[in-house]
Amino acid sequence: MMDKKAKILIFVNSLDSGTGTFAIQMLGLKKNFNIIVGALEHKNRLVKQTGVKIYYFSSDISHINYYSLGLPLFLQLLKEIKWVNKIVNREHPQIILGTDLHSNLLAEIGKIFLRQNAKTILTTHVNLPAVIERKVSGPLKRPLLLIGNYFYGKADAIVCVSGGVAGAVRKLFSFKRKIITIPYGLDARSIKIKSRDRVSKDEGTILKRKAIKRIISIGRFDAQKDFFTLIRAFKLVKKRLKDVELILLGDGYQRDELERLAQYLGLQSCIHFLGWKANVYPYIKRSDLLVLSSRYEGFGYVLLEAMSQGTPVVSTDAPFGPREVLDNGKYGILVPVGNVEKMAEAIIKLLKNKAIYKQYSQKSRERIKSYTQEKMLNSYRNLILNLLN
C-alpha cells in the first residue's frame, strides 16, 4: 500500500440526493484514500461533519435539470467546466469518480480536455434511458448519445448499481466493453442507532396509535415515483381494512396535487404527508409495510432501508432494480407498474394474513445480509487499487 494516500475526487449533483447518499457512503474509504467531493449544489441538509474537503459550485439549485439546445445550456456548461478545471488543477486527483450522466461527463472532461492524468470511474445509479427521455429535448437526444458514447468509451471503468442498469447503459451507448455491477449496501450498525432517533411530538401521536396498521412510502413527489397510483390503491385498501393509515415521507413539485387527490378521495384524515426526512429509519421502524410505487428505478434503495428493519415490502416491477433486489419476488411482492388493483391486493394480502406477513418479514431480514456497505466499499476499494497499479 502506498505511503501517501491517493486522491479520489467525487463529482455529484447534490449531496442531498440519492447519488448524494452514495457519495457520502463512499467517504467510508477515507482510511484508504484522500477523498475530495465536488457538488454542483449546496443545500447542506444531509452533510454535517464529513472530514473531507467539499467544493460547491453554487449555493442554489443551479445544476441542469433539463437539457435543451440553446445559449443558456452552453453558458452553464462553460461555467461548470471552469469550476472542474479549478478543482482538478488544485487537487491533482489520481481518480475522478462521477455519480450520474452529468457528473460523469464532467469527470471525463476533467481528464481529457483539461489534460489530467487521472483515471476515471463513471457510475450510473438510475434507469438512464428513462431519465434521458424525460430530461433531454428531442433535438438534443442524438447529439447527447454520441457525446455519451465517446466519453463512456474513454472511461477507465464503468460501474452500474444493478444488472438491469448495466444492460441499459450498454445498449444505449452501443459500446462493447465490460461494465461492473456493484449494488448498494447498508451499514447495519449505524442504522440500528439511527432507528432509535425520536420523532416530533405531533408525528409521535400519529405513529404510536395502537390497533392501526401503517403503510409507509418514501421518495420525491414527482412523476417517476408515481404516488398517484399508491394513493388510489390505498383507497381500495381502506374499503377492506378500516384501521390503516398511509405515511408519506418526501417532498417535490407534485405534493399539492397529491394532497388534493387525497382530499378528493376522502382520505385526508388517514394519509399523512410528513415531509422530507434526513433519517427515515424511525418512521420505517414504526410502520408495518413499505410500498415502492415507482414507474422506473435504477436500484430501489428504499427497499434496503425497509428490509433492514424487517419490514415487508410491496414494489412495482419497475425497470430496473426491484426485481433483482427482491430476487424475482422471493423477498417481497412485485406488482405491475401503475396497476392500482394489484397493488391494493398485495397490501391487503400482507396486512390481513399474519403468517404471510411474518414470512416476508423474516425474508426481509435474510435478504439484507446480501447488501452490506462493507461489501460495497470493498468492491470500490479493489477497483480503485487495480486502476492505480
Side-chain angles (χ1 to χ4, degrees):
M1 186 73 184
M2 297 163 289
D3 293 332
K4 187 177 180 181
K5 291 182 181 179
K7 281 188 179 180
I8 314 297
L9 172 59
I10 300 174
F11 280 124
V12 63
N13 272 346
S14 169
L15 285 166
D16 289 312
S17 64
T19 49
T21 299
F22 163 76
I24 292 170
Q25 283 187 296
M26 290 292 286
L27 302 186
L29 295 177
K30 286 188 297 183
K31 62 183 178 181
N32 304 105
F33 309 108
N34 182 3
I35 298 179
I36 305 142
V37 175
L40 284 170
E41 82 173 54
H42 185 187
K43 283 185 181 177
N44 204 30
R45 294 193 298 190
L46 284 178
V47 182
K48 306 284 185 194
Q49 296 296 322
T50 63
V52 304
K53 188 183 295 183
I54 302 177
Y55 290 91
Y56 291 105
F57 176 74
S58 172
S59 60
D60 197 4
I61 304 175
S62 62
H63 67 265
I64 301 166
N65 281 313
Y66 187 78
Y67 296 79
S68 59
L69 284 173
L71 186 60
L73 174 63
F74 178 72
L75 293 176
Q76 177 74 5
L77 287 174
L78 282 181
K79 290 178 183 177
E80 292 178 3
I81 292 170
K82 184 178 179 181
W83 173 70
V84 170
N85 184 46
K86 177 182 177 181
I87 299 172
V88 296
N89 281 330
R90 178 177 294 177
E91 298 294 344
H92 299 290
Q94 282 77 51
I95 299 285
I96 305 177
L97 186 148
T99 56
D100 59 19
L101 178 59
H102 190 88
S103 60
N104 283 341
L105 297 183
L106 289 179
E108 281 301 317
I109 288 170
K111 169 188 173 182
I112 299 171
F113 292 102
L114 304 180
R115 300 184 182 279
Q116 291 294 314
N117 294 321
K119 300 290 181 68
T120 50
I121 301 173
L122 309 187
T123 70
T124 301
H125 305 252
V126 297
N127 182 332
L128 199 52
V131 170
I132 290 175
E133 182 63 31
R134 186 165 62 94
K135 290 191 173 185
V136 181
S137 65
L140 196 56
K141 282 187 172 68
R142 181 62 180 165
L144 180 63
L145 291 177
L146 291 173
I147 292 168
N149 191 59
Y150 172 78
F151 280 124
Y152 274 67
K154 294 290 185 180
D156 295 283
I158 299 174
V159 179
C160 293
V161 294
S162 67
V165 169
V169 168
R170 186 179 291 107
K171 184 177 180 180
L172 186 68
F173 292 131
S174 69
F175 51 65
K176 295 181 179 179
R177 59 170 301 168
K178 182 180 180 182
I179 297 179
I180 302 165
T181 299
I182 302 178
Y184 291 121
L186 297 183
D187 181 4
R189 184 178 300 175
S190 67
I191 287 172
K192 189 174 182 179
I193 296 170
K194 289 179 180 179
S195 67
R196 295 173 183 158
D197 280 1
R198 295 181 178 182
V199 299
S200 71
K201 186 176 180 180
D202 290 342
E203 291 172 345
T205 301
I206 295 169
L207 296 169
K208 291 180 181 178
R209 287 200 289 263
K210 295 181 179 180
I212 294 289
K213 297 292 184 182
R214 278 175 287 273
I215 303 163
I216 190 169
S217 191
I218 304 166
R220 298 181 313 278
F221 295 152
D222 64 11
Q224 177 196 344
K225 300 300 182 179
D226 194 13
F227 284 100
F228 289 99
T229 290
L230 173 56
I231 290 175
R232 292 188 178 102
F234 181 68
K235 175 67 174 179
L236 299 182
V237 172
K238 282 294 289 183
K239 291 179 179 179
R240 297 278 302 277
L241 302 172
K242 301 302 179 185
D243 297 326
V244 61
E245 295 185 346
L246 176 60
I247 308 297
L248 298 180
L249 301 187
D251 216 336
Y253 71 91
Q254 287 187 338
R255 177 164 179 162
D256 289 344
E257 291 180 74
L258 293 168
E259 289 182 337
R260 285 196 294 270
L261 176 62
Q263 187 169 14
Y264 174 76
L265 296 176
L267 300 170
Q268 64 270 27
S269 64
C270 51
I271 297 182
H272 306 284
F273 292 83
L274 300 187
W276 182 90
K277 304 296 178 184
N279 180 9
V280 299
Y281 293 104
Y283 301 88
I284 296 174
K285 185 178 181 179
R286 292 167 171 83
S287 299
D288 299 282
L289 173 68
L290 178 131
V291 178
L292 177 65
S293 54
S294 298
R295 295 180 182 178
Y296 60 90
E297 284 287 345
F299 184 84
Y301 186 80
V302 72
L303 298 175
L304 299 189
E305 292 176 318
M307 289 190 288
S308 73
Q309 304 300 305
T311 303
V313 298
V314 171
S315 173
T316 51
D317 192 8
F320 306 98
R323 178 168 286 273
E324 292 179 46
V325 175
L326 301 180
D327 192 11
N328 299 306
K330 179 180 177 181
Y331 295 98
I333 299 179
L334 291 167
V335 298
V337 172
N339 193 311
V340 172
E341 291 77 16
K342 293 291 185 182
M343 184 177 290
E345 288 175 12
I347 293 170
I348 293 167
K349 177 181 178 180
L350 280 170
L351 294 183
K352 284 195 72 174
N353 192 312
K354 291 183 179 180
I356 294 177
Y357 182 91
K358 183 177 179 181
Q359 178 186 4
Y360 277 105
S361 178
Q362 291 172 340
K363 284 179 176 292
S364 287
R365 296 187 186 280
E366 176 186 341
R367 185 57 166 169
I368 199 63
K369 295 175 183 177
S370 300
Y371 292 95
T372 66
Q373 182 172 292
E374 182 182 11
K375 185 176 179 180
M376 181 191 88
L377 293 179
N378 280 338
S379 295
Y380 277 101
R381 182 186 297 109
N382 292 336
L383 172 61
I384 291 168
L385 290 175
N386 287 334
L387 290 178
L388 293 173
N389 290 333

